[in-house]
Amino acid sequence: MTAPSRGRPTPPPPTTAAPDPAAACARTGGAEAADPAHRAGGDLARRATADPLFRLVAYALEAAHGRPPAAVWSAPYAFHLGSPGLVAAAGWPTAAAAAPRTDGLVRLSSLAHPADSCDLPLTLTGPPPDAPDWAVRPYAVLRALARAGHGRGGTDLHVQGSLTAAAGLATAEPADCAIALAVADVHGGPDEEPDRAHVARLLADALPDGDDALRRAVLFARPGQALLLGPDPARGRRYVDFDPAASGARLVLMAVRGDPADRPADLARATARTRAAGALSAWQPGQRPGRSVLVLLPEARLAAVRAAVAEDFRDRGRPVPRFLNIAVAGAARREE
């Protein structure tokens, strides 16, 4: 799972000039062109120093919808720490690029679903329109925002993660937050930061099946710290130090592979091997049993732990679990 540039492809260099705003507006039937004077997302696709994921998302929105983004937001994957109410963010992001519209249409795309882009009317009441499975949740986020007065004119949106579900971290919550922040941003004032507490409440109401603790980690995390949530999130947030690297430790995500029916037993066995090889602790990153565990171990034991797990699985003819390094990161942000 580890690879240069977080394993993400660099977007292909565009071969033509940026679309003319007036032409883009004409082509999209009422779309409102991005204003580069007060939005920083428009040139990300061409900025060689930008993170490859953010360049890719900006380029993909322009390629799919014919206009540059007005803003690009990143949102970190998040995880539980094994103690009630204690969550943190990982240094792996999901990104959303957005551009505002004025015709009440939302156009949704993702490189993870290249054949399932869709154009949908943004309705505030009644059943939602038919949409590809992947777009149902983003549409619910856009609808909740519109009901609250954000983005009723519609939005062009592209979303892409740096990890897949195979990594074992929750993918929905960072995508929800990245989408909501990007849409609120492009439909707000030029210097207006989206109200994160308001966004958290909207998402909790619109998507009650989601993990609200993870969403709040995505929105409010700090590097090198864990967020401690009380029973009433509205009463404030507390932070506690959680920086494995500063104490000579490593935090890694270990994900098992193979048949879903075998995962619980494989995960239990892999976890036992990490502990026997010197891991300090291991726990599930989410509220439900999944395909991965987070492992905290001394820096000096990393190679031994990985070797012990790999040897055990190879000896039994099982797919070797993958290890992903995790840095304790900060909250979602606009990519300038």
Side-chain angles (χ1 to χ4, degrees), residues 22-89:
C25 187
R27 285 197 304 273
T28 56
E32 179 181 303
D35 179 1
H38 73 273
R39 299 294 184 190
D43 71 338
L44 267 178
R46 296 162 179 79
R47 195 181 308 161
T49 56
D51 184 290
L53 175 64
F54 310 141
R55 291 181 61 203
L56 180 63
V57 169
Y59 179 86
L61 182 130
E62 189 170 345
H65 304 305
R67 48 205 295 258
V72 174
W73 276 77
S74 67
Y77 293 84
F79 56 90
H80 290 264
L81 269 73
S83 298
L86 201 59
V87 289

Side-chain angles (χ1 to χ4, degrees), residues 195-221:
D195 184 336
R196 295 177 184 235
H198 180 54
V199 166
R201 291 192 296 271
L202 286 178
L203 292 176
D205 290 340
L207 302 166
D209 60 326
D211 189 322
D212 189 57
L214 290 185
R215 277 194 292 254
R216 290 184 179 273
V218 173
L219 293 169
F220 301 110

